[in-house]
Amino acid sequence: MIRAVRGTRDLLPPETALWNYVETMVREVFRVYNFQEIRTPIFEETQLFARSVGEETDIVSKEMYTWEDRGRTASDKGQSLTLRPENTAGVVRAYIEHKLWDRGLNKLYYIGPQFRRERPQKGRYRQFYQIGAEVIGPPTAGSESPARDAELLELLATLLDRLGIADWCLQLNSVGCPNDRAAYNEALRKALEPVVSNMCVDCQRRAVTNPLRVFDCKVPEDQPIIDKLPRISHYLDEPCRNHFDEVQQILKAVGVPFTINDRLVRGLDYYTRTAFEFTHGALGAQNAILGGGRYDGLSESLGGPKAPGIGFAIGEDRLVLALQQTAESVQCKPDVYIAPLGAGMNAEAAKLARELRRQEVVVELGDETFRLKKSLETASKLGARFALIVGENEVKSGAFALKNLSTGDQVAVPRDGLTDEIRSRVQKL
Ligand code: AMP
């Protein structure tokens, strides 16, 4: 038997109803914050991720699905392509490629699959879904302002609240700018020198190539060493400190609670200044429900104009996991099961189904070969609220038997009153 590839999975009903519920709600929230949707390709040139996310990150060095595409001719070596491991790089590439600043497009959101070759476990998959947003633009448009950071964080708090995710925790840090980073990297290198030989091989390499990435280490034995390393918060220059203070002030003013976590550096190189994660207690080991931050130099590093930005990505799989308990309430069940009884009744039932569905009634159709008992059993199994019986007598008289499947009560309803009758009865349930 051929099974879904390790780390990928089929999303089946009724869970898919929850995914749709989340996406509908999210789109609604994005709309009132004036974000518009962007859809970028799921694969890009490998260079895009290497240059933005960073060569030394786990994502680029270990987790990407990369292949050499075939060239156009036998002698033509193909391009190196990669399934997107995240979507910010693609959005910023599109921003530059289509000069989106000329069109005033500076608030964009996306929903779609991402791919990372991580070790699969609950809440961690090789194909997973992210819902993300980016605010990016020329500095003259205020894209560098701490007001943008606070606005995005407030949006996230609103979104999680509206979805009914109560016990989230916003962890906030500033990872500074290239100015501070040079001094900080130097301090980290110095602090690592005497201890790095006791750390894992990845950290030994990171200590030389990109010491900030030591904070991504998950090896338990390394954690006490990492805990004692200098923190970026002591190395922020004045503009970065002021920026961070202002973000916190606005969050306090609008009433979004947060905790400062100065170990939070996020696993992608492009972040500058504000970095954040929202965690959720019920998720266990993979408790980060979303992450994001500023990336003021990303556009320039990809050959674009100066375009400071900030964004986030919500792990949709984890969001749905956190919401699983409400799955029952968003599941779609038929309002009515139409049971055609006897030869020639399939056509009559089809006519009625068409009329009702055009009036937004959720209809499931039976088959004229079923006996009434089988029809009613099928209807109950599907969770239909009512059964509508369509036999020769009913067609002749123009009134149909509508049966409440939980009480067994039955009433005769004339054809032109059917929609209203079903609607009002479903509403009363
Ligand atoms: P990142 O792009 O690494 O900042 O991740 C942002 C969010 O995406 C995380 O907080 C997770 O919720 C989610 N995420 C990242 N990697 C995975 C994965 N392999 N499986 C499921 N969700 C993931």
Side-chain angles (χ1 to χ4, degrees):
M1 184 175 51
I2 299 177
R3 291 174 179 277
V5 174
R6 183 169 144 80
T8 72
R9 61 203 180 120
D10 301 306
L11 301 172
L12 304 174
E15 197 187 321
T16 40
L18 201 51
W19 285 71
N20 280 325
Y21 164 76
V22 165
E23 289 171 17
T24 306
M25 177 80 83
V26 162
R27 286 179 196 281
E28 184 50 32
V29 171
F30 280 136
R31 192 179 66 79
V32 297
Y33 283 78
N34 197 30
F35 279 80
Q36 297 183 73
E37 185 176 4
I38 182 167
R39 300 188 190 197
T40 65
I42 64 162
F43 59 90
E44 300 265 3
E45 278 187 41
T46 304
Q47 269 306 304
L48 175 67
F49 305 113
R51 275 166 57 185
S52 55
V53 177
E55 299 271 10
E56 198 50 56
T57 57
D58 282 353
I59 295 178
V60 171
S61 66
K62 300 181 194 163
E63 297 169 0
M64 294 205 304
Y65 286 97
T66 297
W67 71 99
E68 288 298 322
D69 202 21
R70 250 174 281 166
R72 261 171 288 191
T73 59
S75 57
D76 177 12
K77 196 165 175 308
Q79 272 178 309
S80 176
L81 302 178
T82 292
L83 287 182
R84 63 184 186 196
E86 61 94 62
N87 220 156
T88 300
V91 172
V92 175
R93 182 211 29 80
Y95 173 83
I96 299 166
E97 185 171 336
H98 305 290
K99 298 190 169 55
L100 295 187
W101 58 90
D102 273 351
R103 306 188 201 181
L105 289 176
N106 66 333
K107 292 170 90 175
L108 299 163
Y109 79 88
Y110 59 82
I111 300 177
Q114 319 294 334
F115 306 85
R116 294 182 196 171
R117 204 176 177 290
E118 293 192 87
R119 198 167 49 77
Q121 64 183 85
K122 187 170 178 225
R124 190 158 76 193
Y125 311 98
R126 290 180 169 179
Q127 173 171 338
F128 60 100
Y129 292 78
Q130 285 187 334
I131 299 171
E134 315 292 347
V135 182
I136 179 169
T140 49
S143 55
E144 225 162 352
S145 166
R148 300 288 77 75
D149 308 42
E151 186 183 11
L152 212 63
L153 291 165
E154 192 276 325
L155 176 158
L156 283 165
T158 298
L159 183 66
L160 295 180
D161 288 344
R162 278 191 58 178
L163 284 167
I165 295 193
D167 43 353
W168 50 261
C169 172
L170 163 56
Q171 314 229 11
L172 200 57
N173 194 20
S174 174
V175 294
C177 58
N179 269 346
D180 332 311
R181 199 68 66 77
Y184 181 56
N185 275 341
E186 209 29 59
L188 269 185
R189 277 206 183 90
K190 261 212 189 102
L192 282 165
E193 225 172 63
V195 289
V196 77
S197 56
N198 302 324
M199 298 179 83
C200 69
V201 282
D202 280 343
C203 282
Q204 296 188 10
R205 195 190 62 245
R206 291 164 176 150
V208 181
T209 52
N210 190 348
L212 194 67
R213 297 272 65 93
V214 165
F215 287 96
D216 301 338
C217 176
K218 304 273 179 332
V219 176
E221 295 76 28
D222 288 2
Q223 300 311 307
I225 303 177
I226 294 169
D227 272 339
K228 293 199 193 81
L229 292 174
R231 301 298 163 93
I232 182 88
S233 49
H234 300 144
Y235 291 82
L236 298 183
D237 64 13
E238 206 184 328
C240 286
R241 261 202 321 271
N242 292 340
H243 192 275
F244 195 36
D245 284 347
E246 179 87 22
V247 175
Q248 294 175 54
Q249 270 172 35
I250 305 176
L251 287 179
K252 282 182 189 150
V254 296
V256 173
F258 59 87
T259 326
I260 302 289
N261 173 1
D262 64 359
R263 249 192 85 160
L264 181 79
V265 297
R266 315 266 305 119
L268 298 88
D269 273 353
Y270 52 62
Y271 286 120
T272 53
R273 294 191 166 172
T274 312
F276 57 86
E277 265 178 18
F278 281 66
T279 52
H280 187 260
L283 286 175
Q286 303 301 316
N287 70 350
I289 206 161
L290 69 95
R294 259 198 176 274
Y295 45 80
D296 290 345
L298 180 54
S299 169
E300 285 158 293
S301 75
L302 293 174
K306 188 169 170 55
I310 178 163
F312 65 77
I314 306 174
E316 193 176 359
D317 306 72
R318 294 187 194 173
L319 193 61
V320 169
L321 265 176
L323 279 173
Q324 212 96 52
Q325 57 274 28
T326 56
E328 191 60 23
S329 61
V330 297
Q331 195 180 339
C332 179
K333 300 247 170 78
D335 296 323
V336 62
Y337 179 95
I338 302 185
L341 270 188
M345 289 302 117
N346 270 349
E348 293 297 333
K351 277 199 288 191
L352 275 175
R354 180 170 156 95
E355 284 163 29
L356 290 171
R357 284 170 173 158
R358 289 187 168 205
Q359 306 289 325
E360 301 288 315
V361 177
V362 183
V363 176
E364 189 54 73
L365 254 182
D367 191 87
E368 63 186 26
T369 60
F370 293 1
R371 287 172 183 274
L372 183 59
K373 185 161 175 272
K374 179 171 174 184
S375 285
L376 296 180
E377 279 169 7
T378 312
S380 297
K381 221 184 206 165
L382 289 168
R385 327 285 163 114
F386 294 92
L388 186 68
I389 297 157
V390 182
E392 213 167 319
N393 291 341
E394 282 80 2
V395 174
K396 262 195 208 128
S397 70
F400 297 87
L402 185 66
K403 191 179 184 65
N404 181 322
L405 286 165
S406 44
T407 64
D409 293 347
Q410 193 167 311
V411 283
V413 185
R415 184 182 195 113
D416 53 6
L418 267 177
T419 309
D420 290 343
E421 191 65 35
I422 292 171
R423 266 221 210 103
S424 79
R425 281 172 184 265
V426 165
Q427 258 161 25
K428 279 193 213 128
L429 288 179

